[in-house]
Amino acid sequence: MILITGGTGLVGGHLLLRLAGGTTALRALYHNEKNISKTKKLFAHYGKTAEFETIQWVNGDITDVPSLEEAFNGVSHVYHCAANMSFDPRDEAMLRKVNIEGTANMVNCALDFGVQKFCHVSSIAALGDPLIAGSVITEETEWNPEIYHSDYQISKYGAEMEVWRGWQEGLKVVIVNPGLIFGYGYWGQGSSAVLKSVKKGQSFYTTGSVGVVAVEDVTGIMLRLMESEQNAERYTLVAENIDFKSLLDTVAKGMNKRGPVIYASKLMLAFAWRADWLLSKLMMRKRLLTKHMAQTAFTTEPFDSSKIISTLNYRFTDMKPYLEKLSAEYIKQ
């Protein structure tokens, strides 16, 4: 029996798409029943409605240990994809609760129920901090606690620490650290914010860059790692390091729209995040732009995926044509 958390999200949903209808029984944890419809739509899009019906959905919450007991009964392998993402400082407690405590609960249950292997979906946000600006970031780059990190980064790093604790206690584990993940469906979350902004007419760009990857690569690599003898390893999953201007232009091309034409300077963003802070206070809404987000909009450190390429002899998807095609699909929605 395989257990997947986050099955109503991009990575978990596409992982279910790959595994459903196979020879191994499949169980997916859900917290809100209405969100299952998102995954059902994904299966329908790929003509796999029959396979969707083979999934055993179990109601549970990774922050509530008693609710996990039914989910873990008879499970041999776990793919932990569930996590929350936010860059609003007011969500610090929620991020720590779900990402760190929730992962600790999953690890503890995996140990208690004798799970054979555990795959944890982390993020490049949990990788280390280069000592020299512009240096390549790998799995070996050390985390510097003296440097400011967002609450999201800290929560993902803390989640990894829980997974490593599980390994020290005898659990076989692999960790993947994907970049910004793009894929079909789940348009209201994650990387779809990029697609949405371009559709609405994104005019501004910065000189920073970001590591991007296709969800098909992420899920395919996860499956191969779980089937392999690899243990106690983490892998950076970035198909391409792309500057924000090129990313937005590529998405715009797929939508037959104009790309951004106005350069947003550091001074401009410094004013913008302060204005957003004031508006969030006055209007009692979530932050749209924080100081950390403004700063990372200019970071250019590339991520190196050589380790996974060498380990699995893997070839990543060419992202530009992939993004153009995905953007064309998005605009149809």
Side-chain angles (χ1 to χ4, degrees), residues 85-96 151 286:
M85 182 174 71
S86 173
F87 296 100
D88 191 325
R90 290 177 293 187
D91 289 332
E92 177 186 4
M94 175 272 291
L95 290 170
R96 290 177 179 269
D151 295 321
K286 284 184 173 290

Side-chain angles (χ1 to χ4, degrees), residues 113-127:
F113 283 82
V115 167
Q116 296 174 21
K117 199 168 184 179
F118 188 101
C119 179
H120 174 63
V121 181
S122 184
S123 166
I124 54 173
L127 294 176

Side-chain angles (χ1 to χ4, degrees), residues 236-297:
T236 302
L237 308 186
V238 169
E240 183 177 348
N241 294 284
I242 183 171
D243 65 86
F244 288 118
K245 179 70 163 61
S246 296
L247 173 61
L248 296 171
D249 283 342
T250 301
V251 171
K253 182 178 179 181
M255 295 183 183
N256 290 317
K257 289 183 171 291
R258 188 183 71 168
V261 294
I262 304 173
Y263 170 63
S265 66
K266 291 183 178 180
L267 180 62
M268 186 185 297
L269 284 191
F271 172 79
W273 75 255
R274 288 176 171 85
D276 182 73
W277 172 84
L278 180 60
L279 287 173
S280 71
K281 294 293 185 182
L282 295 175
M283 301 175 67
M284 299 297 291
R285 64 160 173 77
K286 284 184 173 290
R287 296 289 300 278
L288 301 177
L289 180 66
T290 66
K291 179 180 180 180
H292 182 72
M293 292 169 66
Q295 291 174 339
T296 55

Side-chain angles (χ1 to χ4, degrees), residues 47 57 78 201 210 219 247 313:
W57 291 91
V78 173
V210 63
T219 55
L247 173 61
N313 190 27

Side-chain angles (χ1 to χ4, degrees), residues 52-309:
F52 175 82
E53 299 302 328
T54 67
I55 302 170
Q56 179 186 140
W57 291 91
V58 177
N59 182 241
D61 186 337
I62 62 173
T63 64
D64 179 23
V65 175
S67 74
L68 296 176
E69 292 184 2
E70 180 184 355
F72 270 89
N73 187 35
V75 168
S76 60
H77 292 75
V78 173
Y79 292 87
H80 180 39
C81 310
N84 277 0
M85 182 174 71
S86 173
F87 296 100
D88 191 325
R90 290 177 293 187
D91 289 332
E92 177 186 4
M94 175 272 291
L95 290 170
R96 290 177 179 269
K97 179 75 174 178
V98 174
N99 295 351
I100 300 178
E101 184 179 323
T103 301
N105 293 338
M106 290 294 297
V107 168
N108 291 338
C109 286
L111 289 166
D112 291 342
F113 283 82
V115 167
Q116 296 174 21
K117 199 168 184 179
F118 188 101
C119 179
H120 174 63
V121 181
S122 184
S123 166
I124 54 173
L127 294 176
D129 309 285
L131 297 176
I132 302 174
S135 298
V136 175
I137 299 175
T138 73
E139 298 83 355
E140 303 303 319
T141 305
E142 292 188 10
W143 176 276
N144 186 350
E146 301 300 322
I147 293 178
Y148 173 81
H149 297 93
S150 69
D151 295 321
Y152 174 69
Q153 286 179 295
I154 293 171
S155 73
K156 294 301 287 184
Y157 179 78
E160 285 196 20
M161 294 304 100
E162 294 296 338
V163 177
W164 291 126
R165 173 183 60 80
W167 168 68
Q168 291 176 332
E169 295 180 27
L171 182 64
K172 288 186 177 181
V173 304
V174 286
I175 297 175
V176 292
N177 296 78
L180 184 59
I181 306 171
F182 286 90
Y184 182 88
Y186 308 93
W187 303 121
Q189 59 194 62
S191 62
S192 64
V194 177
L195 306 179
K196 182 179 179 180
S197 67
V198 173
K199 182 182 177 182
K200 292 174 66 176
Q202 174 73 22
S203 299
F204 299 91
Y205 69 92
T206 63
T207 55
S209 63
V210 63
V212 296
V213 63
V215 69
E216 291 84 357
D217 285 332
V218 176
T219 55
I221 288 171
M222 289 167 65
L223 291 174
R224 289 183 61 180
L225 287 174
M226 287 288 272
E227 293 168 355
S228 73
E229 295 300 318
Q230 299 300 319
N231 180 29
E233 298 287 352
R234 72 201 293 230
Y235 299 91
T236 302
L237 308 186
V238 169
E240 183 177 348
N241 294 284
I242 183 171
D243 65 86
F244 288 118
K245 179 70 163 61
S246 296
L247 173 61
L248 296 171
D249 283 342
T250 301
V251 171
K253 182 178 179 181
M255 295 183 183
N256 290 317
K257 289 183 171 291
R258 188 183 71 168
V261 294
I262 304 173
Y263 170 63
S265 66
K266 291 183 178 180
L267 180 62
M268 186 185 297
L269 284 191
F271 172 79
W273 75 255
R274 288 176 171 85
D276 182 73
W277 172 84
L278 180 60
L279 287 173
S280 71
K281 294 293 185 182
L282 295 175
M283 301 175 67
M284 299 297 291
R285 64 160 173 77
K286 284 184 173 290
R287 296 289 300 278
L288 301 177
L289 180 66
T290 66
K291 179 180 180 180
H292 182 72
M293 292 169 66
Q295 291 174 339
T296 55
F298 293 92
T299 58
T300 57
E301 286 82 6
F303 297 91
D304 182 7
S305 296
S306 297
K307 182 178 179 181
I308 192 64
I309 292 172

